[in-house]
Amino acid sequence: MTLMTSWVESANSADTDFPLNNLPYGVFDAGNGTMPRCGVAIGDQILDLCKAEGDGLIDLGGAPVFDVPYWNDLMDLGPEAWDSLRSQLLALLGADATPRPEYLVPQADVAMRMPIQVAEYTDFYASKNHAFNVGVLFRGAENALPPNWLSIPIGYNGRASSVVVSGTDVRRPWGQLKAPDEALPRFAPCQRFDLELELGAIVGQPSDGMVSVAEADRMIFGYVLLNDWSARDIQAWEYQPLGPFQAKATATSISPWIVTRAALEPFRTATPERERPLLPYLQEPGPMLYDIDLTIGLTPEGGEETVISRTNYATMYYSAAQQLCHHTISGCPMRVGDLLGSGTISGPTPDSLGALLEMTRGGQEPVSLTGGGSRSFLEDGDTLTLYGAARGDGYRVGFGACSGKVLPALDATQIPGA
């Protein structure tokens, strides 16, 4: 597919994340006394969907769905309504349509809010490269992958209450830490704070009972960039026997724009060859991954950004559809607004890893920064920014940025019992 042109001139540039091919969904706050509202990114502008629906330019055949500051009501209507909205937007914003600049708001003039009400949050561990690299650090190469890893999408239930939109500051957490040479743990601020580059899948339809991989794929409304902030030293002490808990509860940042499954359709690709067959219920009926380039940028306080990793979502071992299918096999109901984290996305080379834990080999080999300095783990004042885009012929379907700044831990006088 080639670039689709729009009467919004900025959408016709090869440099924009938001051409007509994309049309991602978000919630913006214009700061003029109106409530935050749903919008569609087009070039450097946002189409105000609340206003467009109110004036009859968008009609989904029922009660209004864009009079609220979240996309859950549209997701509730199901895939036919999702397709109808996209078709209407393509017609409204296409080059042959009547220009309607009065419905546009410059992105530079707004603040972005959470695009959905998150129902539940589950994070997976679905990159073989990441799982192997982390396993080597903790268990050695011969026991790097758990015995079940090649057969099952491994995950844990996280905190929906900790999911925040890009631009939200993240405070360094306190927790129990225990060094190998210490007899007992101590209560202190995290010293090994890390990021994890992930893609988040947003579940747009509920389930009641097990769904197939194909059905799960159709239930996915769209995707966001996701940073699973991780306190590695807290995690090392707490994770046995039940896995991550407080180490993953500080924050999970997501990008403000939801890139729809329809926009990503031209970029589908298959999961990699497998060492052993998956059980039949997990086998994919067709390509379920996407060819999406991903980048991590680290900017120290007062410094310039260093790109510390470039990778691609296509390296994953399990797709979001497989993860969602597996999530339902026990009868677990899925809800509109459920968020599934892919797990850290790491490629096969040292410059394509998705977490500092891997890049620095557990902190032993620091990453150099532009302008001097280095990082083993995140320092106060660091801003982490994730970028992602699928690339077509003369255009790209991008996510915008997903960023967060690390704030210092609370002073001990503010912590009970510290």
Side-chain angles (χ1 to χ4, degrees):
M1 183 180 289
T2 57
L3 175 68
M4 302 166 66
T5 57
S6 170
W7 55 263
V8 181
E9 287 300 324
S10 60
N12 300 328
S13 168
D15 296 327
T16 183
D17 270 355
F18 309 125
L20 188 62
N21 305 64
N22 191 350
L23 301 177
Y25 302 150
V27 171
F28 70 96
D29 186 347
N32 55 5
T34 61
M35 72 172 187
R37 53 186 58 200
C38 293
V40 178
I42 180 73
D44 61 6
Q45 303 291 309
I46 300 173
L47 177 73
D48 184 337
L49 271 184
C50 183
K51 179 177 172 62
E53 183 183 50
D55 290 349
L57 296 182
I58 297 292
D59 184 2
L60 296 177
V65 291
F66 299 120
D67 57 347
V68 291
Y70 43 79
W71 283 82
N72 297 59
D73 286 5
L74 185 275
M75 290 191 283
D76 265 327
L77 296 182
E80 288 188 9
W82 309 347
D83 292 343
S84 175
L85 174 61
R86 183 170 177 84
S87 296
Q88 292 181 55
L89 291 171
L90 288 170
L92 184 63
L93 293 167
D96 295 333
T98 301
R100 297 182 182 272
E102 66 272 22
Y103 291 91
L104 300 180
V105 180
Q107 290 189 37
D109 294 346
V110 307
M112 299 303 296
R113 305 303 185 199
M114 279 288 294
I116 63 168
Q117 292 181 323
V118 180
E120 308 282 353
Y121 168 51
T122 303
D123 196 29
F124 285 88
Y125 189 53
S127 164
K128 184 181 176 186
N129 296 313
H130 174 71
F132 181 82
N133 293 337
V134 172
V136 168
L137 288 174
F138 292 104
R139 294 182 295 276
E142 65 283 355
N143 297 308
L145 288 180
N148 59 355
W149 199 92
L150 296 175
S151 297
I152 187 173
I154 295 174
Y156 69 91
N157 291 316
R159 292 290 302 174
S161 61
S162 295
V163 180
V164 297
V165 73
S166 171
T168 304
D169 293 337
V170 176
R171 189 170 295 281
R172 183 180 299 274
W174 283 67
Q176 284 200 22
L177 315 180
K178 182 185 175 300
D181 59 350
E182 292 178 321
L184 294 172
R186 53 197 167 85
F187 190 51
C190 168
Q191 297 173 9
R192 294 162 67 90
F193 203 37
D194 200 359
L195 79 146
E196 289 190 349
L197 165 64
E198 303 191 23
L199 205 65
I202 295 173
V203 179
Q205 286 287 275
S207 70
D208 183 13
M210 181 180 174
V211 301
S212 68
V213 174
E215 290 169 331
D217 184 58
R218 291 191 291 271
M219 289 168 60
I220 295 173
F221 180 64
Y223 294 83
V224 291
L225 298 175
L226 186 151
N227 183 355
D228 178 29
W229 301 88
S230 300
R232 300 301 186 187
D233 40 6
I234 297 173
Q235 183 178 355
W237 171 237
E238 75 176 5
Y239 86 102
Q240 297 188 51
L242 295 181
F245 182 35
Q246 290 302 300
K248 300 283 192 172
T250 299
T252 300
S253 298
I254 64 171
S255 56
W257 296 110
I258 303 167
V259 176
T260 63
R261 184 166 48 84
L264 291 171
E265 195 66 28
F267 308 100
R268 282 189 182 265
T269 188
T271 45
E273 293 185 10
R274 304 189 183 279
E275 290 81 348
R276 59 176 183 247
L278 296 174
L279 294 177
Y281 81 91
L282 273 177
Q283 293 174 8
E284 295 175 295
M288 295 288 170
L289 288 176
Y290 300 98
D291 181 4
I292 302 172
D293 290 330
L294 300 163
T295 303
I296 305 172
L298 190 158
T299 307
E301 187 85 71
E304 58 182 299
E305 184 177 68
T306 300
V307 172
I308 59 174
S309 180
R310 299 183 191 275
T311 188
N312 192 291
Y313 179 62
T315 63
M316 298 300 281
Y317 199 80
Y318 296 103
S319 68
Q322 288 171 305
Q323 293 167 343
L324 177 52
C325 162
H326 183 70
H327 211 319
T328 69
I329 62 173
S330 65
C332 172
M334 304 304 296
R335 300 176 180 175
V336 172
D338 278 352
L339 176 65
L340 307 183
S342 63
T344 304
I345 303 168
S346 290
T349 59
D351 59 352
S352 64
L353 305 177
L356 282 169
L357 178 67
E358 293 174 84
M359 298 178 205
T360 67
R361 297 182 57 81
Q364 300 176 55
E365 301 174 8
V367 171
S368 298
L369 301 182
T370 303
S374 63
R375 289 291 182 275
S376 295
F377 291 97
L378 298 176
E379 297 186 4
D380 295 343
D382 287 347
T383 296
L384 267 296
T385 306
L386 312 181
Y387 307 93
R391 302 185 185 279
D393 182 9
Y395 73 98
R396 67 175 184 252
V397 169
F399 291 78
C402 177
S403 65
K405 181 177 181 178
V406 179
L407 299 182
L410 292 174
D411 185 87
T413 60
Q414 299 173 275
I415 303 295

mmCIF file of all heavy atoms in Angstrom, residues 290-310:
data_model
loop_
_atom_site.group_PDB
_atom_site.id
_atom_site.type_symbol
_atom_site.label_atom_id
_atom_site.label_comp_id
_atom_site.label_asym_id
_atom_site.label_seq_id
_atom_site.Cartn_x
_atom_site.Cartn_y
_atom_site.Cartn_z
ATOM 1 N N TYR A 290 3.404 -8.153 13.666
ATOM 2 C CA TYR A 290 3.505 -7.009 12.764
ATOM 3 C C TYR A 290 4.962 -6.564 12.656
ATOM 4 O O TYR A 290 5.732 -6.665 13.618
ATOM 5 C CB TYR A 290 2.661 -5.834 13.279
ATOM 6 C CG TYR A 290 1.202 -6.150 13.411
ATOM 7 C CD1 TYR A 290 0.660 -6.500 14.645
ATOM 8 C CD2 TYR A 290 0.362 -6.113 12.307
ATOM 9 C CE1 TYR A 290 -0.685 -6.795 14.779
ATOM 10 C CE2 TYR A 290 -0.982 -6.403 12.427
ATOM 11 C CZ TYR A 290 -1.508 -6.745 13.668
ATOM 12 O OH TYR A 290 -2.842 -7.052 13.794
ATOM 13 N N ASP A 291 5.314 -6.087 11.474
ATOM 14 C CA ASP A 291 6.649 -5.550 11.215
ATOM 15 C C ASP A 291 6.660 -4.095 11.678
ATOM 16 O O ASP A 291 6.313 -3.184 10.925
ATOM 17 C CB ASP A 291 6.953 -5.662 9.722
ATOM 18 C CG ASP A 291 8.341 -5.143 9.360
ATOM 19 O OD1 ASP A 291 9.103 -4.768 10.273
ATOM 20 O OD2 ASP A 291 8.642 -5.099 8.157
ATOM 21 N N ILE A 292 7.034 -3.872 12.937
ATOM 22 C CA ILE A 292 7.026 -2.535 13.545
ATOM 23 C C ILE A 292 8.418 -2.241 14.096
ATOM 24 O O ILE A 292 8.894 -2.936 15.006
ATOM 25 C CB ILE A 292 5.991 -2.436 14.679
ATOM 26 C CG1 ILE A 292 4.583 -2.772 14.169
ATOM 27 C CG2 ILE A 292 6.004 -1.039 15.302
ATOM 28 C CD1 ILE A 292 3.542 -2.877 15.275
ATOM 29 N N ASP A 293 9.077 -1.231 13.545
ATOM 30 C CA ASP A 293 10.367 -0.798 14.076
ATOM 31 C C ASP A 293 10.165 -0.073 15.401
ATOM 32 O O ASP A 293 9.262 0.768 15.535
ATOM 33 C CB ASP A 293 11.065 0.145 13.089
ATOM 34 C CG ASP A 293 11.533 -0.563 11.841
ATOM 35 O OD1 ASP A 293 11.850 -1.765 11.916
ATOM 36 O OD2 ASP A 293 11.585 0.090 10.772
ATOM 37 N N LEU A 294 11.024 -0.371 16.364
ATOM 38 C CA LEU A 294 10.916 0.193 17.716
ATOM 39 C C LEU A 294 12.258 0.755 18.155
ATOM 40 O O LEU A 294 13.304 0.179 17.854
ATOM 41 C CB LEU A 294 10.450 -0.883 18.700
ATOM 42 C CG LEU A 294 9.078 -1.505 18.398
ATOM 43 C CD1 LEU A 294 8.900 -2.801 19.158
ATOM 44 C CD2 LEU A 294 7.960 -0.523 18.732
ATOM 45 N N THR A 295 12.209 1.872 18.884
ATOM 46 C CA THR A 295 13.420 2.566 19.319
ATOM 47 C C THR A 295 13.265 3.017 20.756
ATOM 48 O O THR A 295 12.171 3.413 21.181
ATOM 49 C CB THR A 295 13.688 3.799 18.422
ATOM 50 O OG1 THR A 295 13.789 3.376 17.056
ATOM 51 C CG2 THR A 295 14.963 4.509 18.813
ATOM 52 N N ILE A 296 14.372 2.978 21.504
ATOM 53 C CA ILE A 296 14.412 3.515 22.874
ATOM 54 C C ILE A 296 15.380 4.688 22.914
ATOM 55 O O ILE A 296 16.537 4.557 22.506
ATOM 56 C CB ILE A 296 14.886 2.465 23.895
ATOM 57 C CG1 ILE A 296 14.035 1.200 23.830
ATOM 58 C CG2 ILE A 296 14.869 3.049 25.313
ATOM 59 C CD1 ILE A 296 14.585 0.060 24.674
ATOM 60 N N GLY A 297 14.918 5.827 23.415
ATOM 61 C CA GLY A 297 15.780 6.980 23.629
ATOM 62 C C GLY A 297 15.894 7.303 25.110
ATOM 63 O O GLY A 297 14.902 7.258 25.842
ATOM 64 N N LEU A 298 17.113 7.612 25.564
ATOM 65 C CA LEU A 298 17.354 7.994 26.959
ATOM 66 C C LEU A 298 17.940 9.397 26.983
ATOM 67 O O LEU A 298 18.968 9.650 26.345
ATOM 68 C CB LEU A 298 18.290 6.998 27.640
ATOM 69 C CG LEU A 298 18.463 7.097 29.153
ATOM 70 C CD1 LEU A 298 18.958 5.761 29.727
ATOM 71 C CD2 LEU A 298 19.414 8.210 29.595
ATOM 72 N N THR A 299 17.289 10.298 27.723
ATOM 73 C CA THR A 299 17.743 11.686 27.826
ATOM 74 C C THR A 299 18.017 12.018 29.282
ATOM 75 O O THR A 299 17.090 12.064 30.101
ATOM 76 C CB THR A 299 16.684 12.659 27.279
ATOM 77 O OG1 THR A 299 16.309 12.273 25.958
ATOM 78 C CG2 THR A 299 17.223 14.077 27.261
ATOM 79 N N PRO A 300 19.287 12.241 29.660
ATOM 80 C CA PRO A 300 19.573 12.620 31.053
ATOM 81 C C PRO A 300 19.132 14.052 31.323
ATOM 82 O O PRO A 300 18.923 14.840 30.391
ATOM 83 C CB PRO A 300 21.095 12.482 31.148
ATOM 84 C CG PRO A 300 21.577 12.669 29.752
ATOM 85 C CD PRO A 300 20.506 12.144 28.853
ATOM 86 N N GLU A 301 18.969 14.386 32.576
ATOM 87 C CA GLU A 301 18.573 15.747 32.963
ATOM 88 C C GLU A 301 19.526 16.764 32.345
ATOM 89 O O GLU A 301 20.739 16.714 32.551
ATOM 90 C CB GLU A 301 18.614 15.883 34.489
ATOM 91 C CG GLU A 301 18.075 17.193 35.019
ATOM 92 C CD GLU A 301 16.568 17.165 35.201
ATOM 93 O OE1 GLU A 301 16.090 16.470 36.116
ATOM 94 O OE2 GLU A 301 15.880 17.837 34.413
ATOM 95 N N GLY A 302 18.988 17.667 31.525
ATOM 96 C CA GLY A 302 19.801 18.715 30.922
ATOM 97 C C GLY A 302 20.664 18.278 29.768
ATOM 98 O O GLY A 302 21.435 19.071 29.225
ATOM 99 N N GLY A 303 20.544 17.005 29.344
ATOM 100 C CA GLY A 303 21.394 16.491 28.270
ATOM 101 C C GLY A 303 20.626 16.235 26.999
ATOM 102 O O GLY A 303 19.475 16.653 26.844
ATOM 103 N N GLU A 304 21.256 15.533 26.074
ATOM 104 C CA GLU A 304 20.618 15.208 24.811
ATOM 105 C C GLU A 304 20.292 13.731 24.748
ATOM 106 O O GLU A 304 20.880 12.905 25.461
ATOM 107 C CB GLU A 304 21.501 15.616 23.629
ATOM 108 C CG GLU A 304 22.877 14.990 23.599
ATOM 109 C CD GLU A 304 23.704 15.493 22.422
ATOM 110 O OE1 GLU A 304 23.274 15.275 21.277
ATOM 111 O OE2 GLU A 304 24.769 16.102 22.662
ATOM 112 N N GLU A 305 19.351 13.408 23.872
ATOM 113 C CA GLU A 305 18.869 12.035 23.789
ATOM 114 C C GLU A 305 19.885 11.115 23.121
ATOM 115 O O GLU A 305 20.509 11.468 22.122
ATOM 116 C CB GLU A 305 17.552 11.989 23.010
ATOM 117 C CG GLU A 305 16.926 10.608 22.964
ATOM 118 C CD GLU A 305 15.587 10.597 22.252
ATOM 119 O OE1 GLU A 305 15.569 10.811 21.014
ATOM 120 O OE2 GLU A 305 14.568 10.394 22.925
ATOM 121 N N THR A 306 20.059 9.939 23.701
ATOM 122 C CA THR A 306 20.851 8.866 23.110
ATOM 123 C C THR A 306 19.924 7.717 22.759
ATOM 124 O O THR A 306 19.145 7.258 23.608
ATOM 125 C CB THR A 306 21.917 8.354 24.102
ATOM 126 O OG1 THR A 306 22.781 9.408 24.468
ATOM 127 C CG2 THR A 306 22.721 7.221 23.478
ATOM 128 N N VAL A 307 19.971 7.258 21.511
ATOM 129 C CA VAL A 307 19.236 6.051 21.140
ATOM 130 C C VAL A 307 20.024 4.855 21.667
ATOM 131 O O VAL A 307 21.165 4.620 21.255
ATOM 132 C CB VAL A 307 19.047 5.963 19.620
ATOM 133 C CG1 VAL A 307 18.465 4.604 19.238
ATOM 134 C CG2 VAL A 307 18.135 7.083 19.124
ATOM 135 N N ILE A 308 19.433 4.113 22.592
ATOM 136 C CA ILE A 308 20.149 3.005 23.218
ATOM 137 C C ILE A 308 19.732 1.649 22.661
ATOM 138 O O ILE A 308 20.362 0.639 22.979
ATOM 139 C CB ILE A 308 19.994 3.022 24.751
ATOM 140 C CG1 ILE A 308 18.536 2.932 25.167
ATOM 141 C CG2 ILE A 308 20.648 4.280 25.324
ATOM 142 C CD1 ILE A 308 18.341 2.809 26.678
ATOM 143 N N SER A 309 18.689 1.622 21.828
ATOM 144 C CA SER A 309 18.282 0.354 21.233
ATOM 145 C C SER A 309 17.382 0.587 20.030
ATOM 146 O O SER A 309 16.590 1.536 20.014
ATOM 147 C CB SER A 309 17.531 -0.511 22.250
ATOM 148 O OG SER A 309 17.141 -1.750 21.681
ATOM 149 N N ARG A 310 17.513 -0.288 19.035
ATOM 150 C CA ARG A 310 16.591 -0.355 17.897
ATOM 151 C C ARG A 310 16.234 -1.826 17.690
ATOM 152 O O ARG A 310 17.119 -2.670 17.554
ATOM 153 C CB ARG A 310 17.227 0.206 16.622
ATOM 154 C CG ARG A 310 17.633 1.663 16.710
ATOM 155 C CD ARG A 310 18.197 2.147 15.370
ATOM 156 N NE ARG A 310 18.823 3.451 15.477
ATOM 157 C CZ ARG A 310 18.177 4.612 15.391
ATOM 158 N NH1 ARG A 310 16.870 4.611 15.198
ATOM 159 N NH2 ARG A 310 18.830 5.756 15.500
#
